[in-house]
Amino acid sequence: MAAVAIHQFAQCITCHAWNADHSMVAFCPNNNEVHIYKLVREKWEKLHVLYKHDQIVSAIDWSLRSNKIVTASHDRNSYVWNQEGTGWVPTLVILRLNRAALCVQWSPKENKFAVGSGAKTVSICYYEQENNWWVSKRIRKKHNSSVTSVAWHPNNILIATTSTDGKCRIFSTFMKDLDTRAAGLSSSNDAKFGEQIVQLDLSFTWTFGVKWSPSGNTLAYAGHNSMIYFVDDIGPSPSAQSVAFRDLPLRDVLFVSDRMLIGVGFDCNPMVFAADERGIWSFVRFLDERKIAPSSSKYSSQFSEAFGKLYGQSKHGMTNDSLDTSRHRRGAHENCITCIVPLRNAGDAAVKRFSTSGLDGKIVIWDLDNLTDATR
Amino acid sequence: MEAENIEAIIARIEHKTRKIESLLKQLKPVEALKTALEGSPPNTKDERCKSANWIVVHRAMMAIKDVDGMFSSLDPEYYDILMKYLYRGLATGDRPTCDQCLKIHERLTERAGLGCILRALADTVNTV
């Protein structure tokens, strides 16, 4: 099995993040707190509880170099936490939102972070030295619904968002004081702050979990209709691939390399997608070995019982015995996976380890010893 | 939607009906179903066109006797649209139609998975 460690931390986990050397994990146990655990002699010990938010913490990101934690919450606020001595000191970020903050991510250079919200906006936040203050600058009037996920391009300027209006959009977040125009890059690099580079209109349903590939050449996001979209050549004429799969929709995705992606979601089992030599993406297999061949697993999902009842009324329904076996889910995760985070070692191009958390309150660490192994 | 356009769609559906009847006479029910699903949904909000197309699909669907045999020759590209029409069939509440739809639904779910159901339910643009 590819899962190397499974730990039950809480009843339910909304999101989690790791520090630079992966010795500490921060997560929200589905309430207004953030718990930080440290692995001490093979055992997880609770070190800190970050207590400042009033409502559920919806997203956490831990910057690797500057060791700062940023949190976003349904209470419409964001805090940046700094480790000082033995404690963590919060600094309020003024977002001026009238709806919940839903997602947050540090930019690759860690001088900005982006907060997506239910107020149909993305706020780009940066530190103002003279005021000792995190300021936010908003990209507004572009989204028609809540922003469910944000992702920074490796160039620290472009940002991709997914929204419940079904679109995926890419914006420039160029700021004079923070960014320099890299010479010789594409024309999208000249865009002003908040300018929309492209709007991808591939899905009719909610979209989630946008991510860039390590090189920044490919973008992927998931639709709530059991589809995943891969987009190349971001710019005026992007080329897109829509991949339909046979199982329940994804909530979040992670590129482990430019040609391989892991998707997690309502099927409770990470799915591997890979691009062949022509660049055509397709579903490869489930990572957790309990489901091997799709054809042999009849209705192996949470809905099997309901279907059993439905089919039971028709003459050709299956017997109840065959349903019983599928009802017991014995995988690493027992409920919807909502979050996937890379465990990247400094200097590694490809992600070999990553962790997932979900509504079952577990954090599972997965190891792809060998990337070719995953495609088998 | 312009009236002309609707007339064109209706004419196309009528042509499809004749083709299906002849395929059914030749005992090619799977070919008939494929023909019925082709060009579906009719890409219009006009209820008359949609019902006309549904009648054609329904005719071909009810002629399927061997469901497993049908799936061995029906290409996966038809799965999503077939699922949408199965739900339209189930919505009629008509006993024989529902029986047939459930029978096909079971086999289709085995083949195309729950993702197919989700796509059928989530797609609010291409209504059948």
Side-chain angles (χ1 to χ4, degrees), chain A residues 29-279:
Chain A
N30 200 32
N31 60 13
N32 59 338
E33 298 165 0
V34 174
H35 294 191
I36 298 180
Y37 278 70
K38 190 182 169 108
L39 191 58
V40 183
R41 276 180 245 104
E42 313 274 297
K43 276 187 79 182
W44 287 101
E45 276 179 22
K46 195 197 277 185
L47 283 191
H48 308 281
V49 176
L50 310 187
Y51 185 83
K52 192 79 187 170
H53 284 292
D54 299 327
Q55 287 174 39
I56 285 178
V57 177
S58 46
I60 306 173
D61 198 15
W62 199 326
S63 70
L64 302 183
R65 271 162 298 172
S66 50
N67 196 35
K68 287 187 173 70
I69 297 176
V70 60
T71 55
S73 159
H74 288 189
D75 66 12
R76 300 169 291 152
N77 285 324
S78 220
Y79 287 98
V80 175
W81 305 77
N82 250 316
Q83 194 165 22
E84 287 177 18
T86 54
W88 289 85
V89 180
T91 313
L92 179 67
V93 183
I94 308 291
L95 294 173
R96 302 185 315 275
L97 296 175
N98 58 2
R99 295 287 189 281
L102 298 176
C103 48
V104 67
Q105 202 190 20
W106 284 104
S107 75
K109 285 186 184 157
E110 301 178 359
N111 56 353
K112 302 186 262 193
F113 63 86
V115 182
S117 74
K120 310 178 189 175
T121 60
V122 184
S123 304
I124 310 297
C125 308
Y126 59 98
Y127 187 66
E128 249 183 27
Q129 198 84 53
E130 50 269 37
N131 300 323
N132 183 21
W133 193 257
W134 287 88
V135 206
S136 73
K137 217 171 155 180
R138 246 189 277 189
I139 300 173
R140 60 175 95 213
K141 288 190 184 160
K142 293 290 204 288
H143 295 91
N144 295 321
S145 192
S146 300
V147 178
T148 54
S149 152
V150 290
W152 287 93
H153 188 274
N155 70 7
N156 206 54
I157 291 174
L158 294 186
I159 190 164
T161 66
T162 50
S163 165
T164 44
D165 63 10
K167 314 279 197 284
C168 173
R169 298 177 176 86
I170 296 158
F171 299 99
S172 164
T173 68
F174 183 83
M175 289 182 194
K176 267 206 305 290
D177 303 336
L178 297 172
D179 300 301
T180 47
R181 304 237 185 237
L185 274 174
S186 62
S187 59
S188 57
N189 227 43
D190 300 330
K192 292 195 291 287
F193 178 88
E195 196 173 312
Q196 185 172 293
I197 308 295
V198 66
Q199 172 175 307
L200 300 161
D201 204 352
L202 302 171
S203 177
F204 301 121
T205 53
W206 296 344
T207 52
F208 292 103
V210 66
K211 289 283 160 61
W212 296 90
S213 68
S215 68
N217 293 334
T218 310
L219 182 79
Y221 64 101
H224 209 47
N225 53 348
S226 291
M227 300 273 272
I228 179 163
Y229 305 94
F230 295 91
V231 187
D232 286 317
D233 306 324
I234 300 297
S237 53
S239 69
Q241 288 177 47
S242 304
V243 179
F245 48 89
R246 51 167 291 133
D247 296 284
L248 296 178
L250 301 175
R251 272 304 299 269
D252 204 357
V253 302
L254 173 74
F255 275 97
V256 290
S257 72
D258 263 276
R259 309 183 71 82
M260 192 188 285
L261 174 137
I262 310 288
V264 294
F266 294 91
D267 233 276
C268 320
N269 191 346
M271 300 180 198
V272 182
F273 292 85
D276 63 11
E277 57 281 357
R278 289 164 302 152

Side-chain angles (χ1 to χ4, degrees), chain A residues 304-321:
Chain A
S304 54
E305 239 168 304
F307 275 123
K309 280 180 192 140
L310 188 66
Y311 292 133
Q313 285 162 11
S314 71
K315 289 177 197 104
H316 301 265
M318 343 191 335
T319 60
N320 279 325
D321 301 310

Side-chain angles (χ1 to χ4, degrees), chain B residues 14 31 74 125:
Chain B
E14 275 168 3
E31 289 306 310
L74 189 74
V125 177

